[in-house]
Amino acid sequence: MPIVKLFNHDDFWQFSYAHYFKADVEATCLCLQTFHHGSVNLALLMLWLDEQGYLLTGEQRNQLIAGLQPTDGLLQQYRAMRRSLKPQLDQAGYQQLMDFELTVERQQQHDLVAQLNTMPLATLIEQGHPTALATNLVRYCQSLDALSLVEKLQAR
């Protein structure tokens, strides 16, 4: 029977920060974002849930994707502005823009976890998946036609 598990957004942030800087993960996340129009935060959330043994339904994943719409559009516009301003800024000015973007990313993660905390979740075993073959990350990447990125996102 699905349960409502309360996840902590700081735990998710710490996981994401540590995982993002593993070999090839940063470049692969940027590829997911740029060429497949995926959300890095959502991909990291999928991986975090995979590691804890929770499997989202397709409807739950779609709810999380829909919940990203307001901030995702703003982040895309902000990134475009930051890239266009880069030649005009010194390192300190550019770093301020990067730091602000990181603040928005953290807020987006907070929002994702808050939304996740409203959902009843089942473990892989409860949903009839004793192994992690049908993972959240695989399903998300499949929806973006980005299956080739899964192993590098997992840092394998």
Side-chain angles (χ1 to χ4, degrees), residues 17-134:
Y17 193 81
H19 190 78
Y20 189 80
F21 293 107
K22 290 181 178 178
D24 294 327
V25 173
E26 180 179 3
T28 306
C29 283
L30 294 176
C31 179
L32 179 79
Q33 179 180 289
T34 304
F35 300 110
H36 297 276
H37 308 290
S39 166
V40 171
N41 282 327
L42 193 55
L44 290 168
L45 182 67
M46 298 296 104
L47 185 60
W48 190 53
L49 290 172
D50 287 344
E51 289 194 2
Q52 296 180 64
Y54 290 96
L55 185 63
L56 296 175
T57 65
E59 182 181 326
Q60 289 170 323
R61 191 174 50 258
N62 289 337
Q63 288 173 352
L64 290 170
I65 291 168
L68 284 175
Q69 295 307 316
T71 54
D72 220 32
L74 291 173
L75 270 170
Q76 289 177 25
Q77 291 174 359
Y78 184 81
R79 287 184 193 114
M81 179 193 69
R82 175 182 48 78
R83 284 190 295 270
S84 71
L85 290 174
K86 185 176 183 176
Q88 303 166 34
L89 297 171
D90 62 9
Q91 184 59 35
Y94 189 72
Q95 188 59 49
Q96 285 181 324
L97 292 178
M98 292 290 291
D99 291 346
F100 179 76
E101 186 175 340
L102 204 57
T103 300
V104 177
E105 294 276 1
R106 189 171 186 154
Q107 180 61 50
Q108 188 179 64
Q109 283 197 353
H110 184 276
D111 295 346
L112 278 169
V113 170
Q115 187 176 9
L116 182 67
N117 282 336
T118 67
M119 298 176 177
L121 299 176
T123 64
L124 289 166
I125 292 171
E126 290 169 333
Q127 288 199 12
H129 297 279
T131 63
L133 293 176

Side-chain angles (χ1 to χ4, degrees), residues 19 22-23 25 47 150-156:
H19 190 78
K22 290 181 178 178
V25 173
L47 185 60
V150 170
E151 285 190 22
K152 285 188 177 182
L153 288 169
Q154 293 170 328
R156 290 190 182 161

